[in-house]
Amino acid sequence: MLKLNSFTVTDEKTHPTQVMRRRATLSHKYELFYRDPLNPVQAQDAWITDASGRKYLDAYNNVVSVGHGNRRVIDAMTNQAKMICTHTRYVNDELCRLSERLTGKNEGNNEWRSIFTCSGSEANDLAMRVAMQFTGGNGFIVTDHAYHGLTALTQAITTSMTGYLELSNRLGLEIATIPSPVGKNEGNSFIDGLQTAINDMHSRGIRLAAGIFDSFFTSDGLGLTPKGFLDDAVRLLHDNGALYIADEVQPGFARSGSYFWGFQTHGADPDIITMGKPMGNGYPMAAIMFKALLDDYIMDSYFNTFGGNNVAVAVGHAVLDEIEERNLLENAHIQGEKILSELEQLKESCVNISSVRGSGMSIAVDVVTNDGAPNADGAIRIVEAMKQRGVIISTSGVSGNTLKIRPLLIYTNEDTNFLIDQAQSAVRTVFS
Amino acid sequence: MLKLNSFTVTDEKTHPTQVMRRRATLSHKYELFYRDPLNPVQAQDAWITDASGRKYLDAYNNVVSVGHGNRRVIDAMTNQAKMICTHTRYVNDELCRLSERLTGKNEGNNEWRSIFTCSGSEANDLAMRVAMQFTGGNGFIVTDHAYHGLTALTQAITTSMTGYLELSNRLGLEIATIPSPVGKNEGNSFIDGLQTAINDMHSRGIRLAAGIFDSFFTSDGLGLTPKGFLDDAVRLLHDNGALYIADEVQPGFARSGSYFWGFQTHGADPDIITMGKPMGNGYPMAAIMFKALLDDYIMDSYFNTFGGNNVAVAVGHAVLDEIEERNLLENAHIQGEKILSELEQLKESCVNISSVRGSGMSIAVDVVTNDGAPNADGAIRIVEAMKQRGVIISTSGVSGNTLKIRPLLIYTNEDTNFLIDQAQSAVRTVFS
């Protein structure tokens, strides 16, 4: 069962016609959100409208981070599609310019190179292979509720899903896990967990390939403090001959409100950076950037049918233009701080909220019982209560008791206030 | 070195500014077509225009099969993007309807289910895992110059690239290969090759998972005859407890001119069908369809961030509408037969062409020396001569001496005549 972000499975009883149609033709392994699933038909900026005309503020979807129906992105997509859409085996200066813009977001003296893919999974899959080729190792260190993708290789290190251990054994990978560094200053123990994992690998005679971490530990429940703990961890990885793969699929693209990439909040030095979700604001695109010396350890040649096609390139530029010209990093910081401080106050008044943490538009709230134990049921009730109030959020974390709140980068003051008002109302009602 | 479809690597000497810019920011494992690379800036229907204003007939790109700049597809994409683009965890009847249309293309009594992905690689990667889970085996049978994708798992069975054996060993896969069944009626020996591969697996105590074949053996150089050889092979696979994965990423979507899927030309009975490239006419999308009983052998739950998003669904319908309403299956047959018969005549007049074969808009021409030996250099010279004459084709096959001619499904009589005229001229000039 994927605890990550599927908090309920709908069946025929709750939504007969459409759910039965799904079950007759789609894999039953597809899940639906909510007891009474959402049927969204239109969306603009931060708001989704369902088939009944009801509007919902989107505080969950982390792909459309520059806004649903973003006209600059759609125009870029349409105009480029009308001109030409082909692949990377022909000359395309705009492809190079996009790579230059993205690698330029990471300051430093290293030369970086890029490969464009369709999905974050493809990017992480390639990153893992490069790390294995470069180090000669097959040992990976991850956190214990991580999500890194759905190809065989990336699922084998996705500890938030069952079956990863069987899969990693089958594929000859060795996985060591570190307790999720979530909660206030839990990062302090991260370095100890990493040392233990490295010792474990060494004692078993396993050569390390890489530590791969979502820089914000999003699926683990959001681990952010103390600042710098990841930098210390990376130095320890490097001292032990392992690479550091920064999985920026979720924390990247200004979500932190402080830096373009999540790892920059720690001053950490990645060898490989993978990205995806918000990169095309919904257009399927992703990429991997790596230090130039790793280029020799990629397969003999690389071609991706859709990755880096002209439309993806045009869309990628438009998303960066939106972030830069509309100062969305700053907006994510301002709105995020306001939400965070209001939720902190809510926590002070409610025994069932034990922790509020966040950075920019990544916010986590831990829900507990009156005795302070993880309360996954309470978290789901808040998610449903928020839906009734017209706000879409979700849950995550090892115990499933963490509210996952991911506002879009383009939130207005009104959006932010609406989110806060409904969160206060929902928490008070659920725990009244 | 990927012989599959990269017949030359360009360096600074031939195209200094743009190639050096690429090398400074993109992976050096990216390749460019042609000694003097193409710089395409606009395309409509079957024609590409480069930066100098020169026009080229596209007889290579098998993604945009309903035409460059197809307005129905672009309108569907734009209109849906303006409405909403979100994911499969919400209700979406159009997603179900697309699955119904696709599974309906394969007649028979089986119930089929679908999962949507971003790329053919993701689809094949998942298909391989399902086969392993269902059979408990790790043995795969492929042809000896196959291409099945670029994730770790799919690259491990991509015998057309170096390193697949090392990778398959590392991942605990067992691979047996069958000689590519290309050329006239080479399929006759395919069943013997398959029996040998199965015997080899058995003698090594390996349990079979699947045979996975591109139904047209595209990367092997195109193997089509005799009709039915694949059906016999599938029965042998089934008798030995293995699944048959039909890789329809290249032969699917009416390319054959005879059936929607390539395997239907053989009456073969696949357990899993994977698809991609032309499915969105350039929009990144792909899928896997499988017999319902296999659904239990997919990981616990499946979610793909971009796969099956609303825009992909709208685009997928538009591509099917184009194929159906414009009778593109029939057009592929008519134009393909004409090209084939003219190239057959060309062969009769030229000792350096040893074989012409094809089905619909998949056509292969083997180039040989005066002594009848494979002539990869001659094939490349024809590709370059075709480019000089304004036609884009490529090479493929085990020896790299097969011309890969893949006209778009929307060719007009004029397009077809232009292709034929230039092919005659190019061959005569190269071998004068």
Side-chain angles (χ1 to χ4, degrees):
Chain A
M1 179 62 196
L2 176 71
K3 284 189 228 149
L4 172 60
N5 42 16
S6 296
F7 43 83
T8 182
V9 177
T10 306
D11 60 23
E12 292 84 346
K13 293 185 195 108
T14 51
H15 219 84
T17 316
Q18 291 178 309
V19 174
M20 285 186 75
R21 187 174 185 185
R22 275 173 77 100
R23 288 180 67 85
T25 191
L26 299 183
S27 169
H28 293 187
K29 301 306 173 73
Y30 271 128
E31 293 179 343
L32 280 170
F33 276 162
Y34 297 113
R35 210 160 40 222
D36 182 20
L38 203 64
N39 187 2
V41 296
Q42 197 269 333
Q44 188 61 45
D45 302 324
W47 291 83
I48 291 175
T49 308
D50 75 7
S52 75
R54 176 109 205 257
K55 285 184 183 297
Y56 299 86
L57 177 67
D58 192 348
Y60 168 72
N61 288 295
N62 60 350
V63 169
V64 285
S65 68
V66 300
H68 288 281
N70 183 296
R71 289 306 156 108
R72 188 200 302 238
V73 175
I74 294 173
D75 287 349
M77 176 177 76
T78 304
N79 293 338
Q80 183 59 54
K82 285 179 177 169
M83 285 301 291
I84 189 168
C85 180
T86 187
H87 51 78
T88 57
R89 280 169 172 153
Y90 302 132
V91 166
N92 178 5
D93 271 350
E94 283 297 285
L95 170 68
C96 299
R97 191 168 71 86
L98 181 60
S99 175
E100 290 161 0
R101 287 182 81 175
L102 288 166
T103 54
K105 298 288 183 193
N106 187 33
E107 293 162 18
N109 296 319
N110 283 291
E111 185 191 340
W112 289 81
R113 294 197 190 136
S114 313
I115 280 180
F116 291 83
T117 65
C118 300
S119 67
S121 292
E122 284 186 353
N124 279 336
D125 190 287
L126 182 58
M128 289 175 69
R129 266 180 294 161
V130 172
M132 286 193 281
Q133 283 292 125
F134 180 75
T135 62
N138 64 340
F140 288 91
I141 300 176
V142 293
T143 51
D144 65 9
H145 203 68
Y147 180 85
H148 294 296
L150 45 65
T151 64
L153 211 59
T154 54
Q155 215 199 331
I157 60 165
T158 288
T159 52
S160 58
M161 292 179 77
T162 56
Y164 83 93
L165 210 55
E166 186 194 340
L167 189 56
S168 60
N169 284 337
R170 171 173 272 170
L171 299 177
L173 302 181
E174 297 287 347
I175 314 296
T177 63
I178 308 176
S180 302
V182 303
K184 282 278 181 216
N185 290 317
E186 289 293 334
N188 279 327
S189 58
F190 190 75
I191 199 86
D192 298 331
L194 179 60
Q195 186 65 65
T196 304
I198 290 171
N199 293 346
D200 170 62
M201 289 281 186
H202 283 172
S203 70
R204 291 157 63 204
I206 296 160
R207 185 182 288 193
L208 281 166
I212 174 167
F213 307 119
D214 171 320
S215 318
F216 272 21
F217 304 91
T218 310
S219 300
D220 290 283
L222 213 57
L224 303 166
T225 52
K227 295 280 177 256
F229 82 82
L230 198 53
D231 184 36
D232 294 338
V234 170
R235 272 196 291 268
L236 188 56
L237 283 171
H238 286 164
D239 288 347
N240 284 275
L243 298 185
Y244 161 43
I245 300 169
D247 183 340
E248 290 284 337
V249 173
Q250 298 195 74
F253 284 79
R255 181 154 290 276
S256 75
S258 306
Y259 296 91
F260 190 82
W261 301 117
F263 64 81
Q264 290 170 322
T265 63
H266 290 283
D269 173 31
D271 302 293
I272 303 176
I273 303 168
T274 60
M275 66 201 78
K277 291 190 190 292
M279 191 177 182
N281 207 49
Y283 190 90
M285 63 185 293
I288 168 175
M289 295 176 356
F290 46 84
K291 290 177 177 169
L293 85 162
L294 295 174
D295 207 358
D296 290 339
Y297 300 89
I298 290 174
M299 61 187 91
D300 283 1
S301 70
Y302 188 91
F303 177 69
N304 190 308
T305 298
F306 304 129
N309 78 26
N310 308 62
V311 175
V313 168
V315 166
H317 281 297
V319 169
L320 292 180
D321 290 344
E322 283 286 275
I323 291 172
E324 291 167 6
E325 294 178 20
R326 292 173 66 184
N327 298 315
L328 294 182
L329 184 69
E330 190 185 1
N331 191 60
H333 178 73
I334 292 168
Q335 305 295 343
E337 285 295 303
K338 176 147 190 219
I339 296 165
L340 212 52
S341 76
E342 294 286 342
L343 292 177
E344 284 278 6
Q345 284 187 36
L346 185 60
K347 183 192 103 172
E348 296 309 315
S349 69
C350 178
V351 68
N352 298 102
I353 294 183
S354 63
S355 168
V356 172
R357 56 195 176 275
S359 176
M361 292 313 208
S362 257
I363 295 164
V365 175
D366 288 344
V367 180
V368 293
T369 63
N370 291 342
D371 305 326
N375 186 353
D377 177 64
I380 290 173
R381 282 160 58 213
I382 291 175
V383 169
E384 293 280 0
M386 289 292 273
K387 176 165 174 263
Q388 286 168 17
R389 287 162 177 74
V391 182
I392 297 172
I393 63 169
S394 184
T395 63
S396 77
V398 179
S399 304
N401 70 317
T402 302
L403 299 178
K404 182 159 65 173
I405 302 174
R406 298 186 299 210
L408 280 54
L409 304 187
I410 49 125
Y411 262 34
T412 62
N413 292 336
E414 291 69 33
D415 297 333
T416 294
N417 290 336
F418 187 82
L419 171 64
I420 293 164
D421 289 348
Q422 304 315 317
Q424 289 166 340
S425 164
V427 167
R428 281 181 196 132
T429 302
V430 167
F431 293 114
S432 64
Chain B
M1 180 64 195
L2 176 71
K3 283 187 227 149
L4 172 59
N5 43 17
S6 295
F7 41 83
T8 182
V9 178
T10 305
D11 61 23
E12 291 85 346
K13 293 185 194 110
T14 52
H15 220 83
T17 314
Q18 290 177 310
V19 172
M20 284 185 75
R21 186 174 185 184
R22 275 173 77 101
R23 288 179 67 85
T25 190
L26 299 183
S27 170
H28 293 188
K29 302 306 172 74
Y30 272 128
E31 293 179 344
L32 279 171
F33 276 162
Y34 296 112
R35 211 160 38 222
D36 182 20
L38 204 64
N39 187 2
V41 295
Q42 197 269 333
Q44 188 61 46
D45 301 325
W47 291 83
I48 291 175
T49 308
D50 75 7
S52 74
R54 176 110 204 257
K55 284 183 184 298
Y56 299 85
L57 177 68
D58 192 348
Y60 168 73
N61 288 295
N62 60 351
V63 170
V64 286
S65 68
V66 299
H68 288 280
N70 183 295
R71 290 306 155 111
R72 190 201 298 239
V73 174
I74 293 173
D75 287 349
M77 176 177 75
T78 303
N79 293 337
Q80 183 59 53
K82 285 179 178 170
M83 285 302 290
I84 189 168
C85 181
T86 186
H87 51 79
T88 57
R89 281 170 173 152
Y90 303 133
V91 166
N92 179 5
D93 270 350
E94 283 297 285
L95 171 68
C96 299
R97 190 168 72 86
L98 182 59
S99 175
E100 290 160 1
R101 287 181 82 175
L102 287 166
T103 54
K105 299 288 183 192
N106 187 33
E107 292 161 19
N109 297 318
N110 283 292
E111 185 192 340
W112 289 82
R113 293 195 191 138
S114 312
I115 280 180
F116 291 83
T117 65
C118 300
S119 66
S121 293
E122 283 186 352
N124 280 336
D125 190 287
L126 182 58
M128 289 175 69
R129 266 180 293 162
V130 172
M132 285 193 280
Q133 283 291 126
F134 180 75
T135 62
N138 65 339
F140 288 91
I141 300 176
V142 293
T143 51
D144 65 9
H145 202 69
Y147 180 85
H148 294 296
L150 45 63
T151 64
L153 211 59
T154 55
Q155 215 199 328
I157 60 166
T158 287
T159 53
S160 59
M161 292 178 76
T162 57
Y164 84 91
L165 210 56
E166 185 195 340
L167 189 56
S168 61
N169 284 338
R170 171 174 271 172
L171 299 177
L173 302 181
E174 297 286 347
I175 315 295
T177 64
I178 308 175
S180 302
V182 304
K184 283 279 182 214
N185 291 316
E186 289 293 333
N188 279 327
S189 59
F190 189 76
I191 199 84
D192 299 330
L194 179 60
Q195 186 66 64
T196 303
I198 289 171
N199 294 346
D200 170 62
M201 289 281 187
H202 284 172
S203 70
R204 291 157 63 204
I206 296 160
R207 185 181 287 194
L208 280 165
I212 173 166
F213 307 120
D214 172 320
S215 318
F216 272 19
F217 304 90
T218 311
S219 299
D220 290 282
L222 213 58
L224 304 165
T225 55
K227 295 280 178 256
F229 82 82
L230 198 53
D231 184 36
D232 295 338
V234 170
R235 273 196 290 268
L236 188 56
L237 282 172
H238 286 163
D239 289 347
N240 284 276
L243 298 185
Y244 162 43
I245 300 169
D247 183 339
E248 289 283 338
V249 173
Q250 297 196 76
F253 284 79
R255 181 152 289 276
S256 77
S258 307
Y259 297 91
F260 190 82
W261 301 118
F263 64 82
Q264 292 171 321
T265 64
H266 291 282
D269 174 30
D271 303 293
I272 302 176
I273 303 168
T274 58
M275 66 202 77
K277 291 188 190 295
M279 190 177 185
N281 205 49
Y283 189 89
M285 61 185 294
I288 167 174
M289 294 176 357
F290 45 85
K291 290 177 176 168
L293 85 162
L294 295 174
D295 207 359
D296 290 339
Y297 300 89
I298 289 174
M299 61 187 90
D300 283 1
S301 72
Y302 187 90
F303 176 69
N304 190 308
T305 299
F306 304 129
N309 78 26
N310 307 62
V311 174
V313 169
V315 166
H317 281 297
V319 168
L320 292 180
D321 290 343
E322 282 286 277
I323 292 172
E324 291 168 6
E325 293 178 20
R326 293 172 67 184
N327 297 316
L328 294 183
L329 184 68
E330 190 185 1
N331 191 59
H333 178 73
I334 293 168
Q335 306 295 344
E337 285 294 303
K338 178 149 189 215
I339 296 165
L340 212 50
S341 77
E342 295 286 343
L343 292 178
E344 285 277 5
Q345 284 187 36
L346 184 61
K347 183 192 104 174
E348 297 308 316
S349 69
C350 178
V351 68
N352 299 102
I353 294 183
S354 63
S355 169
V356 172
R357 56 194 176 276
S359 177
M361 293 311 208
S362 259
I363 296 164
V365 176
D366 289 343
V367 180
V368 293
T369 62
N370 292 342
D371 306 327
N375 186 354
D377 177 63
I380 290 174
R381 281 160 58 212
I382 291 176
V383 169
E384 293 279 1
M386 289 292 273
K387 176 166 174 263
Q388 285 167 17
R389 286 161 177 77
V391 182
I392 296 172
I393 64 170
S394 184
T395 64
S396 77
V398 179
S399 305
N401 70 317
T402 302
L403 300 178
K404 182 158 66 173
I405 302 174
R406 298 186 300 210
L408 280 52
L409 304 187
I410 50 125
Y411 263 32
T412 62
N413 292 335
E414 291 69 33
D415 297 333
T416 294
N417 290 336
F418 188 82
L419 171 64
I420 293 164
D421 290 346
Q422 304 315 317
Q424 290 166 339
S425 165
V427 168
R428 282 183 195 130
T429 302
V430 168
F431 294 113
S432 64

